[in-house]
Amino acid sequence: MKTYGYIRVSSIDQNEDRQIIAMQNAQVPRRNLYIDKISGKDFNRPMYLKMVKKLKPGDLVYIKSIDRLGRNYQDVVEQWQFLTRVKKVDIVVLEMPLLDTRRGKDLMGTFLSDIVLQVLSFVAENERSNIKRRQREGIDAAMQKGVKFGRPAIPLPNNFSVIYEKWQKKEIPVEKAAAMCGFSRTTFYNKANEFGQKLGQS
């Protein structure tokens, strides 16, 4: 029997140290740690797939929490069943001792483990949905108050009207006009279009 640990963080900016420490405390060999820095939206993850290929019947896989395995309720349940019933490995969720397939190998133990898994997976997905909903509500409320999101608008230089007029009269090419403003050609065109519309409205 070999022991493995699977670790996932959602992006390269997130830190996996807490999960590594948890695996070390569980005495998982460092060489058997598989770390993905990728979204948990599906199971198309290079290190996870590499670990699964190595798994043999009777091996043991540790994960820190159920959401590290995945964030989609149905996918997590299906993958759990694949690992335990097809690959015939055991899984231990460190933050949830009830999810330890080494315990209760009889029909009742398996049934209870499956029920706990489905409840936790549903709770994890529901919480994620609630977080996204609260974020959306917060953004909507802020926008109603006039808060603007995204990059701040690039200010026009003080002499933009002069540059704009020279460009309109074809006295200078667009490349020179953009350079005089410190803009790219695309930005200059956008700013010139906005400026022209404001002139037309005044």
Side-chain angles (χ1 to χ4, degrees):
M1 183 194 80
K2 290 187 177 180
T3 302
Y4 296 90
Y6 179 66
I7 293 170
R8 184 184 66 80
V9 291
S10 298
S11 70
I12 58 175
D13 297 327
Q14 291 187 336
N15 195 307
E16 67 274 17
D17 287 351
R18 286 190 303 163
Q19 294 180 67
I20 291 176
I21 291 171
M23 297 299 170
Q24 290 173 340
N25 292 338
Q27 299 184 329
V28 179
R30 182 67 189 239
R31 66 182 179 277
N32 288 351
L33 290 182
Y34 289 81
I35 304 173
D36 276 316
K37 296 190 175 185
I38 195 169
S39 166
K41 65 179 181 180
D42 56 44
F43 284 90
N44 186 25
R45 312 173 206 151
M47 296 307 292
Y48 178 78
L49 295 175
K50 186 175 181 180
M51 180 190 73
V52 170
K53 283 184 178 180
K54 287 181 172 290
L55 294 175
K56 304 294 182 187
D59 286 345
L60 176 61
V61 177
Y62 282 97
I63 56 174
K64 189 172 187 293
S65 59
I66 197 66
D67 62 341
R68 296 305 87 201
L69 188 60
R71 70 188 192 194
N72 180 284
Y73 162 66
Q74 183 175 345
D75 288 349
V76 168
V77 173
E78 288 178 357
Q79 195 64 204
W80 183 282
Q81 292 174 344
F82 169 74
L83 292 173
T84 57
R85 297 176 187 178
V86 178
K87 300 295 289 188
K88 298 185 183 304
V89 301
D90 280 312
I91 307 175
V92 174
V93 180
L94 293 170
E95 290 186 353
M96 180 55 61
L98 284 173
L99 286 178
D100 182 344
T101 60
R102 297 172 300 178
R103 302 177 182 177
K105 291 289 187 179
D106 58 6
L107 183 61
M108 181 57 71
T110 302
F111 173 75
L112 290 174
S113 181
D114 284 351
I115 291 296
V116 171
L117 169 67
Q118 292 192 40
V119 170
L120 289 176
S121 298
F122 173 78
V123 169
E125 183 176 351
N126 193 53
E127 177 59 20
R128 179 175 177 82
S129 297
N130 287 338
I131 289 172
K132 292 178 71 174
R133 177 181 54 78
R134 288 194 293 267
Q135 288 174 339
R136 183 69 258 170
E137 289 174 351
I139 291 171
D140 290 344
M143 290 178 68
Q144 288 177 7
K145 292 180 179 178
V147 177
K148 296 186 180 297
F149 294 89
R151 294 181 179 179
I154 301 173
L156 296 177
N158 294 331
N159 62 340
F160 185 80
S161 60
V162 175
I163 298 170
Y164 174 83
E165 186 175 350
K166 287 180 178 288
W167 171 68
Q168 283 282 77
K169 292 180 178 179
K170 302 189 185 312
E171 294 177 6
I172 55 175
V174 65
E175 290 82 3
K176 184 173 182 180
M180 291 171 69
C181 295
F183 296 158
S184 66
R185 282 184 56 166
T186 301
T187 301
F188 178 80
Y189 277 128
N190 290 336
K191 293 295 185 183
N193 184 49
E194 293 174 4
F195 188 77
Q197 289 179 355
K198 289 180 180 178
L199 285 179
Q201 294 171 359
S202 61

